[in-house]
Amino acid sequence: MPGSAPAASNPEAVLPVIPTALVEVDVVERWGEGIPAAVPVAEIDGEPDLDTAAENLGVDTASLRALDVSGKAGEVRAVPLSEGRLGWAVGVGDGEPFRWRTAGGELARAIRARIGDTGGEGADPRDLGEALDVEYVQFRLPAAATPELVSALTLGVALGEYHFRVSARPTPPRVRKVLLVAQPGEDVTRLRETARRAREWASATSVARDLANAPSNIKSPAWLAETAAAMTGSVTGLNATVRDEKWLSGQGFGGVLAVGGGSSRPPRLLELTWQGSGGDDSGVGHVVLVGKGITFDTGGVSLKPAEGMEMMRTDMAGGGAVIGAMLAIARLELPFRVTALVPMAENHISGSAYRPGDVVRHYDGTTTEVANTDAEGRMVMADALGYAVHHHQPDLIVDVATLTGAMKVALGLRTGGVFSNDEKLGERVRDAGRRAGENWWPMPLSEDHATDVRGTTADVKQAAQGPGALMAALFLREFTGGSPWAHLDIAGPARADKPYDEVVAGATGFAARTLVEFVAGLGD
Ligand code: BES
Ligand code: MN
Ligand code: ZN
């Protein structure tokens, strides 16, 4: 076609489909004949309860024994059923709620492997010849299933086979829905409500994954802001405003403009507001969530090493978590007033990039002397925190950021760090994480280092010597105006290198559902 760019250079040719559809999960009362079936296998005193599992599947115990079914949490064995129906025996170990998340994740991947990806590694993805057409799988819940169990299982099943795809080729078939079948006499209404909440947690997580997985040739600050605004725009009561570079300049967002200055794709600020009917009487007040939205982090003039740099497309994972959380907060109609701020910029390198030694003036007037252009996250967060404090008069602030490599070294890939100037607030975040199935660990805002962030030529030092994650947190604290504040550094758990539990390799969506459950619990 005349005038149209060749596919290779046309960004439209690699547009991801967002949001990714998840496997649906619901609780039902009736076991269906003829539907592919999965059953849990519990370990009792270290031995698998094969009799119960066999009875539920309609096979004999000996056949499960022959398949070496151990009941270990996350072990999934395919069990052939009558008339060629698919069946699975799913180990749940000692049955602790979190084991059900492990079991659900492994089951979801086993189902996908059986009916979806027929090819396996190296196969032609267009060859879907042998794929099975399976719409439903049913899963037998145990007697006296608790809401915690159903919640964990729902998360595992919904998120465990998440797969981010950018392809014009046909999507492999997948199961549409997993039905959790309650035992007779159970309170199905209550379990169904639990599953609904867990589904919203899962979709918050999934949106955060989608945005972080999106490649940065597509994901400019403008694309990220508009994509988020388009998604949130369809939810009643959730309002999105996208601010451009002219607005940012007029308002004095010096940190965002400095970091974004090296890129040909200018920065943005996304503002989402949820009024939450009844929020004003709750005594909770106005909650502001802030998320780091660096769409790609080259390090700038303080350039990062090439190895592993590709993962810096996920450097807006904190912003993605905040966006995903706001969607769920609104869909669940949580009765609190919540504002989200996501400063978005690409930290790139060019003749217009900011430099080490520069002095930058932030939204609240504080000046920062730049030491390392790779410490860009705190530069954009400082503006957003200052704007939150002075424009929104928050009663509490929670920020989320892939802020420091040091945090990743300290806590690894499965745990996020929580810093807070308010003991109770930090505890609330960690408790919410426990309920939502995410691990957090308390980190100190050590006063011993607090004076080190004071500047010499400017008010504050951007990257002072000292323990990296703490120095970054102490820097951010300078912009919080004494508001109750929690800072969540997710540099480690925002990404995974291999699948486990409900997580798959790539962006994890970590923190999204902790934020949802944190806000949900504010009235308690
Ligand atoms: N985005 C990085 C932090 C990061 C590192 C996230 C590894 C995920 C994995 C951040 O912008 C950064 O580069 N931080 C520097 C700060 C330093 C220059 C003071 C770091 O941690 O090395
Ligand atoms: Mn950086
Ligand atoms: Zn960064």
Side-chain angles (χ1 to χ4, degrees):
M1 242 181 3
S4 71
S9 66
N10 176 9
E12 300 288 321
V14 291
L15 266 190
V17 180
I18 289 179
T20 296
L22 294 180
V23 174
E24 293 171 40
V25 186
D26 208 353
V27 179
V28 300
E29 278 168 275
R30 228 168 260 119
W31 187 255
E33 293 308 319
I35 300 175
V39 303
V41 185
E43 275 182 307
I44 298 172
D45 301 328
E47 291 294 317
D49 179 6
L50 297 182
D51 291 338
T52 308
E55 193 188 326
N56 284 332
L57 274 178
V59 298
D60 40 24
T61 305
S63 68
L64 294 186
R65 195 166 293 124
L67 287 167
D68 238 353
V69 171
S70 76
K72 197 171 135 296
E75 176 192 274
V76 179
R77 295 265 193 264
V79 183
L81 305 181
S82 58
E83 288 147 28
R85 233 173 0 119
L86 300 175
W88 293 273
V90 185
V92 296
D94 61 12
E96 283 291 315
F98 69 92
R99 309 262 191 231
W100 292 82
R101 187 155 44 83
T102 309
E106 296 300 339
L107 173 62
R109 289 190 280 275
I111 295 173
R112 185 184 183 107
R114 184 65 187 84
I115 70 178
D117 291 334
T118 50
E121 211 160 320
D124 185 338
R126 285 166 297 193
D127 178 15
L128 303 174
E130 283 171 69
L132 300 175
D133 185 12
V134 174
E135 206 178 353
Y136 297 104
V137 169
Q138 56 187 342
F139 183 97
R140 170 66 81 186
L141 289 174
T146 60
E148 290 75 19
L149 181 164
V150 168
S151 179
L153 181 60
T154 302
L155 280 175
V157 170
L159 290 168
E161 60 104 77
Y162 169 93
H163 194 84
F164 183 75
R165 265 174 71 87
V166 186
S167 177
R169 290 173 177 173
T171 305
R174 64 208 297 246
V175 69
R176 186 165 77 74
K177 194 160 186 172
V178 173
L179 306 163
L180 310 182
V181 186
Q183 301 270 352
E186 305 267 303
D187 185 349
V188 173
T189 314
R190 177 152 158 264
L191 297 182
R192 220 173 249 155
E193 190 45 44
T194 304
R196 179 175 105 92
R197 196 190 51 194
R199 277 200 312 268
E200 291 300 347
W201 287 354
S203 66
T205 305
S206 179
V207 162
R209 288 181 185 180
D210 284 344
L211 294 174
N213 281 326
S216 296
N217 53 335
I218 298 298
K219 186 171 51 189
S220 63
W223 181 89
L224 181 57
E226 294 302 340
T227 301
M231 266 192 286
T232 51
S234 61
V235 182
T236 315
L238 185 57
N239 294 311
T241 310
V242 177
R243 313 291 194 181
D244 67 7
E245 70 275 24
K246 284 186 215 75
W247 185 92
L248 290 166
S249 160
Q251 296 287 316
F253 281 67
V256 176
L257 290 163
V259 171
S263 172
S264 61
R265 304 187 293 176
R268 293 287 182 269
L269 174 71
L270 174 71
E271 255 187 280
L272 299 173
T273 56
W274 166 248
Q275 208 54 47
S277 62
D280 294 335
D281 320 319
S282 65
V284 170
H286 187 188
V287 180
V288 177
L289 308 177
V290 184
K292 173 175 169 180
I294 297 298
T295 58
F296 193 77
D297 182 10
T298 66
V301 170
S302 314
L303 192 63
K304 284 188 180 298
E307 199 187 317
M309 201 202 276
E310 70 278 5
M311 286 321 288
M312 284 300 138
R313 68 168 178 271
T314 65
D315 208 20
M316 35 52 67
V322 164
I323 293 162
M326 286 300 279
L327 278 166
I329 287 166
R331 287 213 196 96
L332 290 168
E333 301 186 57
L334 299 184
F336 308 108
R337 183 172 166 216
V338 188
T339 296
L341 301 171
V342 185
M344 299 169 176
E346 181 171 45
N347 188 24
H348 220 317
I349 175 165
S350 76
S352 56
Y354 80 134
R355 291 153 290 257
D358 284 1
V359 172
V360 169
R361 188 171 190 271
H362 293 284
Y363 179 85
D364 71 355
T366 305
T367 55
T368 290
E369 54 189 84
V370 176
N372 187 320
T373 61
D374 197 10
E376 83 299 335
R378 67 197 76 178
M379 298 297 290
V380 305
M381 296 298 278
D383 280 348
L385 289 169
Y387 179 65
V389 169
H390 295 281
H391 184 80
H392 288 290
Q393 285 88 40
D395 294 285
L396 78 90
I397 306 176
V398 180
D399 83 65
V400 194
T402 48
L403 206 61
T404 65
M407 192 75 263
K408 185 173 158 182
V409 172
L411 297 180
L413 294 182
R414 301 194 185 190
T415 305
V418 180
F419 298 81
S420 184
N421 58 4
D422 178 326
E423 189 98 8
K424 267 245 134 44
L425 174 56
E427 209 175 290
R428 272 182 181 275
V429 172
R430 299 192 315 266
D431 287 346
R434 207 167 295 123
R435 297 194 295 275
E438 293 180 328
N439 295 324
W440 296 96
W441 197 255
M443 297 294 297
L445 287 161
S446 306
E447 289 307 331
D448 308 347
H449 298 288
T451 52
D452 298 342
V453 301
R454 296 275 127 70
T456 43
T457 50
D459 300 327
V460 284
K461 269 205 191 94
Q462 174 221 27
Q465 291 297 317
L470 278 62
M471 299 314 291
L474 289 167
F475 174 87
L476 291 185
R477 188 175 68 169
E478 297 294 314
F479 300 88
T480 57
S483 300
W485 159 72
H487 160 59
L488 281 46
D489 192 337
I490 59 165
R495 286 161 299 126
D497 47 15
K498 57 172 191 282
Y500 62 90
D501 302 346
E502 84 290 7
V503 172
V504 296
T508 59
F510 193 88
R513 58 182 193 263
T514 293
L515 291 176
V516 179
E517 179 57 11
F518 167 77
V519 171
L522 281 175
D524 305 344

PDB file of all heavy atoms in Angstrom, residues 292 294 297 304 312 315 347 374 376-377 402-403, ligand 3:
ATOM      1  N   LYS A 292       5.984   4.353  40.043  1.00  0.00           N
ATOM      2  CA  LYS A 292       7.068   4.714  39.106  1.00  0.00           C
ATOM      3  C   LYS A 292       6.725   4.240  37.698  1.00  0.00           C
ATOM      4  O   LYS A 292       6.420   3.066  37.483  1.00  0.00           O
ATOM      5  CB  LYS A 292       8.385   4.074  39.572  1.00  0.00           C
ATOM      6  CG  LYS A 292       9.554   4.230  38.589  1.00  0.00           C
ATOM      7  CD  LYS A 292      10.859   3.675  39.178  1.00  0.00           C
ATOM      8  CE  LYS A 292      11.960   3.583  38.104  1.00  0.00           C
ATOM      9  NZ  LYS A 292      13.234   3.043  38.646  1.00  0.00           N
ATOM     10  N   ILE A 294       8.698   4.497  34.613  1.00  0.00           N
ATOM     11  CA  ILE A 294       9.794   4.632  33.640  1.00  0.00           C
ATOM     12  C   ILE A 294       9.581   3.573  32.543  1.00  0.00           C
ATOM     13  O   ILE A 294       9.677   2.370  32.804  1.00  0.00           O
ATOM     14  CB  ILE A 294      11.168   4.469  34.337  1.00  0.00           C
ATOM     15  CG1 ILE A 294      11.375   5.590  35.365  1.00  0.00           C
ATOM     16  CG2 ILE A 294      12.303   4.472  33.293  1.00  0.00           C
ATOM     17  CD1 ILE A 294      11.400   7.018  34.803  1.00  0.00           C
ATOM     18  N   ASP A 297      14.491   2.111  30.984  1.00  0.00           N
ATOM     19  CA  ASP A 297      15.582   2.700  31.760  1.00  0.00           C
ATOM     20  C   ASP A 297      16.923   2.271  31.182  1.00  0.00           C
ATOM     21  O   ASP A 297      17.422   1.183  31.475  1.00  0.00           O
ATOM     22  CB  ASP A 297      15.454   2.270  33.231  1.00  0.00           C
ATOM     23  CG  ASP A 297      16.526   2.888  34.119  1.00  0.00           C
ATOM     24  OD1 ASP A 297      17.242   3.786  33.640  1.00  0.00           O
ATOM     25  OD2 ASP A 297      16.613   2.485  35.302  1.00  0.00           O
ATOM     26  N   LYS A 304      23.612   2.011  31.672  1.00  0.00           N
ATOM     27  CA  LYS A 304      23.630   0.666  32.249  1.00  0.00           C
ATOM     28  C   LYS A 304      24.436  -0.276  31.354  1.00  0.00           C
ATOM     29  O   LYS A 304      24.517  -0.061  30.148  1.00  0.00           O
ATOM     30  CB  LYS A 304      22.191   0.113  32.321  1.00  0.00           C
ATOM     31  CG  LYS A 304      21.346   0.675  33.431  1.00  0.00           C
ATOM     32  CD  LYS A 304      20.026  -0.078  33.511  1.00  0.00           C
ATOM     33  CE  LYS A 304      19.147   0.471  34.614  1.00  0.00           C
ATOM     34  NZ  LYS A 304      19.741   0.337  35.963  1.00  0.00           N
ATOM     35  N   MET A 312      14.612  -3.790  31.479  1.00  0.00           N
ATOM     36  CA  MET A 312      14.267  -2.447  31.949  1.00  0.00           C
ATOM     37  C   MET A 312      13.009  -1.901  31.262  1.00  0.00           C
ATOM     38  O   MET A 312      12.561  -0.805  31.555  1.00  0.00           O
ATOM     39  CB  MET A 312      15.448  -1.500  31.802  1.00  0.00           C
ATOM     40  CG  MET A 312      16.496  -1.749  32.878  1.00  0.00           C
ATOM     41  SD  MET A 312      15.806  -1.520  34.538  1.00  0.00           S
ATOM     42  CE  MET A 312      16.519  -2.909  35.407  1.00  0.00           C
ATOM     43  N   ASP A 315      10.401  -1.301  33.917  1.00  0.00           N
ATOM     44  CA  ASP A 315      10.721  -0.338  34.975  1.00  0.00           C
ATOM     45  C   ASP A 315       9.539   0.583  35.316  1.00  0.00           C
ATOM     46  O   ASP A 315       9.675   1.480  36.150  1.00  0.00           O
ATOM     47  CB  ASP A 315      11.959   0.483  34.588  1.00  0.00           C
ATOM     48  CG  ASP A 315      12.738   0.986  35.787  1.00  0.00           C
ATOM     49  OD1 ASP A 315      12.576   0.410  36.883  1.00  0.00           O
ATOM     50  OD2 ASP A 315      13.497   1.961  35.632  1.00  0.00           O
ATOM     51  N   ASN A 347      13.916   6.998  30.330  1.00  0.00           N
ATOM     52  CA  ASN A 347      15.258   7.437  30.725  1.00  0.00           C
ATOM     53  C   ASN A 347      16.227   7.050  29.615  1.00  0.00           C
ATOM     54  O   ASN A 347      16.739   5.931  29.598  1.00  0.00           O
ATOM     55  CB  ASN A 347      15.648   6.794  32.057  1.00  0.00           C
ATOM     56  CG  ASN A 347      16.949   7.369  32.615  1.00  0.00           C
ATOM     57  OD1 ASN A 347      17.325   8.498  32.291  1.00  0.00           O
ATOM     58  ND2 ASN A 347      17.614   6.599  33.461  1.00  0.00           N
ATOM     59  N   ASP A 374      21.165   7.284  36.407  1.00  0.00           N
ATOM     60  CA  ASP A 374      20.478   5.995  36.515  1.00  0.00           C
ATOM     61  C   ASP A 374      19.600   5.934  37.773  1.00  0.00           C
ATOM     62  O   ASP A 374      18.806   5.016  37.936  1.00  0.00           O
ATOM     63  CB  ASP A 374      21.504   4.859  36.510  1.00  0.00           C
ATOM     64  CG  ASP A 374      20.886   3.509  36.201  1.00  0.00           C
ATOM     65  OD1 ASP A 374      19.699   3.479  35.802  1.00  0.00           O
ATOM     66  OD2 ASP A 374      21.589   2.495  36.354  1.00  0.00           O
ATOM     67  N   GLU A 376      17.039   7.526  38.306  1.00  0.00           N
ATOM     68  CA  GLU A 376      15.988   8.372  37.727  1.00  0.00           C
ATOM     69  C   GLU A 376      14.631   8.176  38.401  1.00  0.00           C
ATOM     70  O   GLU A 376      13.805   9.081  38.401  1.00  0.00           O
ATOM     71  CB  GLU A 376      15.861   8.098  36.223  1.00  0.00           C
ATOM     72  CG  GLU A 376      14.991   6.888  35.806  1.00  0.00           C
ATOM     73  CD  GLU A 376      15.510   5.553  36.346  1.00  0.00           C
ATOM     74  OE1 GLU A 376      16.719   5.455  36.607  1.00  0.00           O
ATOM     75  OE2 GLU A 376      14.703   4.615  36.507  1.00  0.00           O
ATOM     76  N   GLY A 377      14.439   6.976  38.965  1.00  0.00           N
ATOM     77  CA  GLY A 377      13.125   6.681  39.551  1.00  0.00           C
ATOM     78  C   GLY A 377      12.779   7.677  40.642  1.00  0.00           C
ATOM     79  O   GLY A 377      11.691   8.251  40.671  1.00  0.00           O
ATOM     80  N   THR A 402      10.043   0.073  41.158  1.00  0.00           N
ATOM     81  CA  THR A 402      11.218  -0.782  40.935  1.00  0.00           C
ATOM     82  C   THR A 402      12.423   0.140  41.115  1.00  0.00           C
ATOM     83  O   THR A 402      13.039   0.575  40.160  1.00  0.00           O
ATOM     84  CB  THR A 402      11.208  -1.359  39.506  1.00  0.00           C
ATOM     85  OG1 THR A 402      10.954  -0.276  38.582  1.00  0.00           O
ATOM     86  CG2 THR A 402      10.129  -2.412  39.326  1.00  0.00           C
ATOM     87  N   LEU A 403      12.718   0.460  42.385  1.00  0.00           N
ATOM     88  CA  LEU A 403      13.589   1.606  42.630  1.00  0.00           C
ATOM     89  C   LEU A 403      15.080   1.298  42.672  1.00  0.00           C
ATOM     90  O   LEU A 403      15.873   2.047  42.132  1.00  0.00           O
ATOM     91  CB  LEU A 403      13.156   2.314  43.923  1.00  0.00           C
ATOM     92  CG  LEU A 403      13.519   3.805  43.974  1.00  0.00           C
ATOM     93  CD1 LEU A 403      12.854   4.578  42.840  1.00  0.00           C
ATOM     94  CD2 LEU A 403      13.136   4.416  45.305  1.00  0.00           C
TER      95      LEU A 403
HETATM   96 ZN    ZN B   3      14.845   2.665  36.943  1.00  0.00          ZN
END
